[in-house]
Amino acid sequence: MLAAVAGVAAFMLVGSVQGARQTVTDAAARAWHSIFGDRPQAELGSRMIVVLSSPSLADRLEAASGKVNAAKQRQWVADIESEQELFLASLRDRGVTIEPEQVFTRTVNGFSATLDARAVAELDRNPSVIGVYPVRAVYAAEAQALRAPAVGAQAGASLPGFDGRGIKIALLDTGVDSGHAALASRLRRGFDVVGDDRKPLPESDPAGKGGVEAHGTRMAGLVAAVAPGARIVPIRVVGWQEGKDGSSVLVGRGDQLIAGLERAVDPNGDGAVTDGATVALVPLVEPFAAFTDSPESRAVEGATKLGTLVVAAAGNDGSSGVGFGSIGAPGGAPDALTVGAADTRARVAMATAWVRAGADTISAEPARVLGKTGPAEQLTADVVGLLGPSIANPSQATEAEAAGSSLGDFFDTRGVSRVAGRAALVPADGSSLEVKARNAKAAGAAALLVYGTALPAGALDADESTALPVLALSGATGAEAMDALRAGRPVTAVLAPAGTVANPGLDTVAGFSSGGLSFDGRVKPDVVAPGVGLGTVDPSPDGSGRYSTVSGSSAAAAVAAGAAALVAQARSSLSASELRAVLVGSAEPLGGVQPVTREGAGGLDPAAASTAELAVEPATVAFGRAGGADWSSAQTLTVKNLSSRPLEVGFGLVPDQPGPARVGFTVQPAHLSLGPGASSSVQLSVSGTAELGDGASGVVVVSARGARAARIPWAIAPRPGDLALVDSVSLSNWQFAPSKSAPVVLAFRAGRAVPGTGGEQIEPVGLLDLELWTPKGKRLGVIARLRDLLPGRYAFGLTGRGPDGRVLAPGTYVLRLRAQPVDAADGTPPSTADTVFRITDQ
């Protein structure tokens, strides 16, 4: 048997991917990382999610065509719960005791629990189990916020005549400030999954460091601004939980997210989904985990079947081009409306900075105002670099430069501020820029000058504790100023009042916004929406009515959720999947040349969606990855006529890439004749050509005379060849006696990050079997099975027991690690790696 030495390797996973993200993302995304900062590491232990094969409520309702009353639904949920209890009792009879932490019955049938190695092995062998999956950390896909006066500013989503009235939107996030005047009348009773009660309010950091949950309140403010008539059901799935270092971190878990979706479809928790939300907003992300068979994806599918459209953030890890890479969960789910962030600000703030060393001018250049606060009047200040010893690092060399990541960097060894009344000069690298700004403000700085950053103007979102001028200088200017300070020369800066200029990034996808393919080859995001510098509300514990601005794909998802509510009100007869179809199909391409792997179908257009006459499903097509010169793929599209007139429907393929065709394209039948309300299907077939190269992408255009065409994104990436998905296998001791208390450590690397045209692309492992063999080639069985692994290093303990749980007889054995890619169904062979060990006598 295998016992996890460090639990399921979620922590190592996140650490590995996080460390690689500097090459996964492009330069703009790397700059934005200084806003979003490093993610806190959650203590997940050995929690797992178990998915059972028995049908969920969603499956049963689908089989019954939805024609089941509330009483029958409640009975079915009770039956599922009883079946789970019987299943757990049968495990106890075999000596395996499992205490479920979260129980799922409505969107998916399963539970989460802390599992030891024996329990995992027993579950994997059980025919009632589809799979056992890791619990991952869930994060808010947004930065911090700054006081601002206009709620919904730049949100840009409206539908004249509709305000979302009669539509319920579940918000899965941190707690929401129900006392804020802008929200009080728009909230309905929710649920706190983290605290297991009916009070989903924002809580303060239990460590007493002054932090208050704010993300949920900010997202609620955006939803309310776009759809003021809708009612918001707050469901708290992110809160203060224990981190890896024992501190309190603001984070959620994948099983809590699924529990939140269970509440979204059944807000009062009585087992009937007649009170389910029309839209469930999930402005959260499990970074890089775009697995389409995961419990989260299954729960999104179940929610869709139950009539709830799940709107999810794409993530804030930049684009990886046409390939696997940066989309997170649950945005990677095929049924989720996944939203990226666009910059829709017409104007941005600029200032002018004159920097001098003594009497010499270093530069006189325009300076981007990174925050929302620029110099109110001309400011002349001495410039100070964080050189030499400080409280944070008393032994720092005189010429060494601190990044400002610690408050102590801004104080000398006597505890006196080095920057009070001055302009602090810091490099762009290091920790979150928001942290640096907060530290500079706390130390009394008059301004913060950041050199070497590619962030656009207005990028920094920070609360009132960071409300000081933060300006961007060129890397050359900053380096020359630092050299002058090291040489003992006085450096001064004259900062002119900020003005505004036309935004050079107007109507482009924000550099931080995730994009690429989910792990079934499907384009994500589906659409983009405004997600930079949006006005919203902030939690106000003192009742002062604070306001903020926010940036991130979570903000874009909140705008999209509000827009979906408007369209749902206008077109109440649409199912959840049809609602997603018209929102994606009617999206408008942004200006400039931006591939679908960045913008999906384009910018959300609720007005166009409200009048769309064609609903095409799936709303994005997954052709998979090309595996050779003779590669081909086929997918089925179903087209429904939503209009009151007959339509003649045709199809076309529009590639993103100019030049010779990279793929061949056929559709059968070539045309459809659809009466009012009728639907029919066609088969799309594509094949690679000699021009496929590093991949292809574009849209399938579905059109009818007099109707707005529907645009269906697609992309095809080449599959890497001869890629070892498991290697670097080692044992701490190759011979040992069986022992539960002192296992031998097996270490290995699973998954890869490989070069791509848009940066490094992730190659995850769909299924990893640890097989036991004899030296003569006889397979004895599987002693552990792991699913949905992101690239990382893993460590497990060998206890000397075989696939049946019995102690192995003395002798030599071969342990074979067999790793299958996520698209193994396309014929890609598994990777294998072997190691030998010997069992000795007790």
Side-chain angles (χ1 to χ4, degrees):
M1 297 286 286
L2 286 174
V5 172
V8 180
F11 167 68
M12 289 177 282
L13 259 179
V14 172
S16 172
V17 175
Q18 186 68 23
R21 82 179 307 285
Q22 293 299 316
T23 50
V24 170
T25 58
D26 56 21
R30 290 198 300 271
W32 275 97
H33 180 57
S34 69
I35 291 294
F36 295 100
D38 294 322
R39 300 178 176 105
Q41 302 297 338
E43 178 53 68
L44 301 174
S46 55
R47 288 185 179 92
M48 307 289 281
I49 298 173
V50 180
V51 178
L52 301 175
S53 59
S54 180
S56 65
L57 176 63
D59 297 326
R60 298 183 185 209
L61 279 173
E62 181 184 42
S65 301
K67 300 175 181 179
V68 178
N69 61 31
K72 186 63 174 179
Q73 294 177 29
R74 284 190 284 269
Q75 182 59 56
W76 276 347
V77 168
D79 291 345
I80 296 169
E81 292 172 343
S82 297
E83 290 169 3
Q84 289 191 17
E85 291 171 359
L86 290 173
F87 174 73
L88 294 172
S90 69
L91 292 175
R92 286 194 295 272
D93 291 342
R94 292 193 291 274
V96 177
T97 300
I98 296 175
E99 298 294 336
E101 198 164 343
Q102 301 289 344
V103 173
F104 319 124
T105 58
R106 297 155 179 82
T107 61
V108 64
N109 189 352
F111 56 87
S112 69
T114 298
L115 302 178
D116 61 19
R118 183 183 178 191
V120 172
E122 186 72 34
L123 289 164
D124 262 324
R125 290 193 294 265
N126 197 301
S128 297
V129 175
I130 289 176
V132 182
Y133 299 84
V135 169
R136 306 182 200 277
V138 175
Y139 303 94
E142 178 241 29
Q144 299 297 316
L146 172 74
R147 178 177 284 270
V151 179
Q154 303 294 332
S158 63
L159 183 57
F162 300 94
D163 64 357
R165 193 173 306 277
I167 302 300
K168 191 181 297 180
I169 302 175
L171 170 58
L172 282 64
D173 209 311
T174 65
V176 176
D177 184 2
S178 60
H180 200 293
L183 297 176
S185 63
R186 296 168 181 173
L187 299 178
R188 290 295 177 265
R189 192 179 187 192
F191 190 79
D192 184 351
V193 173
V194 178
D196 194 25
D197 59 38
R198 297 304 299 264
K199 299 177 181 178
L201 300 174
E203 296 188 3
S204 299
D205 180 359
K209 296 182 179 180
V212 177
E213 298 173 14
H215 193 259
T217 302
R218 293 167 184 161
M219 297 303 102
L222 289 174
V223 172
V226 176
R231 293 299 172 257
I232 302 170
V233 180
I235 301 174
R236 184 172 177 258
V237 297
V238 173
W240 298 101
Q241 305 191 56
E242 183 180 357
K244 279 285 183 182
D245 59 0
S247 64
S248 295
V249 296
L250 195 55
V251 69
R253 304 194 311 260
D255 58 332
Q256 293 171 330
L257 189 155
I258 297 173
L261 288 176
E262 293 272 298
R263 276 285 172 174
V265 300
D266 181 13
N268 65 7
D270 70 347
V273 296
T274 51
D275 60 336
T278 303
V279 177
L281 168 59
V282 188
L284 311 169
V285 64
E286 296 176 22
F288 304 99
F291 296 98
T292 54
D293 69 334
S294 68
E296 293 87 343
S297 290
R298 295 173 189 271
V300 171
E301 179 186 12
T304 303
K305 292 177 180 179
L306 294 174
T308 298
L309 172 65
V310 178
V311 180
N316 297 331
D317 291 293
S319 174
S320 58
V322 183
F324 296 162
S326 65
I327 292 293
D335 292 281
L337 177 67
T338 308
V339 188
D343 188 347
T344 57
R345 301 169 299 161
R347 301 187 69 81
V348 294
M350 296 287 288
T352 301
W354 290 270
V355 182
R356 297 186 179 91
D360 300 326
T361 298
I362 294 177
S363 71
E365 62 185 38
R368 302 187 303 280
V369 178
L370 297 181
K372 301 300 185 288
T373 301
E377 56 187 19
Q378 183 166 300
L379 171 66
T380 301
D382 294 334
V383 176
V384 179
L386 305 181
L387 298 171
S390 66
I391 286 181
N393 188 359
S395 61
Q396 180 169 286
T398 303
E399 294 187 356
E401 178 185 11
S405 304
S406 168
L407 180 58
D409 291 338
F410 293 84
F411 292 83
D412 64 23
T413 54
R414 300 168 300 164
V416 177
S417 173
R418 304 198 283 189
V419 301
R422 302 173 179 179
L425 179 64
V426 298
D429 58 0
S431 70
S432 164
L433 182 54
E434 180 264 331
V435 171
K436 297 182 184 184
R438 177 177 288 112
N439 291 337
K441 176 69 180 296
L448 182 66
L449 306 178
V450 184
Y451 67 93
T453 178
L455 280 171
L460 176 61
D461 299 327
D463 58 28
E464 290 181 324
S465 64
T466 61
L468 83 164
V470 182
L471 277 66
L473 301 180
S474 69
T477 295
E480 188 172 348
M482 289 302 303
D483 288 342
L485 290 169
R486 288 188 179 95
R489 301 177 65 193
V491 177
T492 59
V494 179
L495 309 178
T500 62
V501 299
N503 180 12
L506 176 64
D507 288 337
T508 60
V509 179
F512 61 79
S513 190
S514 290
L517 305 180
S518 58
F519 294 154
D520 67 348
R522 189 179 309 274
V523 171
K524 292 288 182 173
D526 299 307
V527 294
V528 293
V532 179
L534 307 185
T536 186
V537 302
D538 224 23
S540 306
D542 58 359
S544 60
R546 297 179 61 195
Y547 294 85
S548 317
T549 61
V550 293
S551 294
S553 60
S554 63
V559 172
L566 302 180
V567 177
Q569 179 192 9
R571 308 190 73 166
S572 59
S573 63
L574 295 181
S575 67
S577 59
E578 290 170 345
L579 178 59
R580 175 174 179 261
V582 298
L583 288 167
V584 176
S586 64
E588 186 69 23
L590 300 182
V593 180
Q594 301 189 78
V596 296
T597 51
R598 290 292 287 138
E599 67 173 11
L604 203 64
D605 187 343
S610 70
T611 58
E613 295 183 87
L614 296 171
V616 183
E617 297 183 61
T620 57
V621 181
F623 286 121
R625 295 192 293 176
D630 58 349
W631 173 87
S632 63
S633 178
Q635 294 293 319
T636 299
L637 280 186
T638 300
V639 184
K640 183 175 181 179
N641 180 0
L642 301 176
S643 75
S644 58
R645 62 190 180 96
L647 296 176
E648 297 295 320
V649 181
F651 304 85
L653 190 78
V654 179
D656 287 331
Q657 295 78 18
R662 298 191 178 192
V663 296
F665 169 76
T666 59
V667 57
Q668 292 292 332
H671 296 85
L672 295 176
S673 297
L674 298 177
S679 62
S680 188
S681 298
V682 299
Q683 185 177 66
L684 299 178
S685 298
V686 294
S687 57
T689 71
E691 306 295 331
L692 181 60
D694 56 5
S697 60
V699 293
V700 175
V701 176
V702 183
S703 59
R705 181 172 303 214
R708 183 187 180 98
R711 304 172 69 253
I712 313 302
W714 59 271
I716 300 167
R719 181 185 295 113
D722 300 325
L723 188 64
L725 291 179
V726 59
D727 59 12
S728 302
V729 181
S730 64
L731 288 171
S732 60
N733 191 347
W734 88 279
Q735 58 181 4
F736 56 94
S739 172
K740 291 182 179 180
S741 59
V744 167
V745 176
L746 167 72
F748 58 91
R749 185 178 68 177
R752 283 294 181 91
V754 298
T757 56
E760 270 191 344
Q761 297 172 358
I762 287 175
E763 287 294 327
V765 173
L767 186 70
L768 180 74
D769 282 345
L770 278 71
E771 302 175 343
L772 192 65
W773 292 69
T774 68
K776 293 184 177 181
K778 180 181 179 181
R779 184 177 182 273
L780 301 178
V782 175
I783 56 177
R785 172 166 287 167
L786 304 174
R787 290 175 172 81
D788 292 358
L789 302 182
L790 289 171
R793 186 125 184 112
Y794 295 82
F796 293 91
L798 286 173
T799 62
R801 293 174 180 266
D804 58 2
R806 298 177 181 177
V807 174
L808 292 171
T812 301
Y813 297 87
V814 176
L815 187 64
R816 176 165 297 166
L817 284 70
R818 183 182 298 272
Q820 296 183 10
V822 288
D823 50 4
D826 293 341
T828 306
S831 300
T832 60
D834 292 355
T835 189
V836 176
F837 66 93
R838 178 185 293 277
I839 295 294
T840 61
D841 291 327
Q842 294 284 352

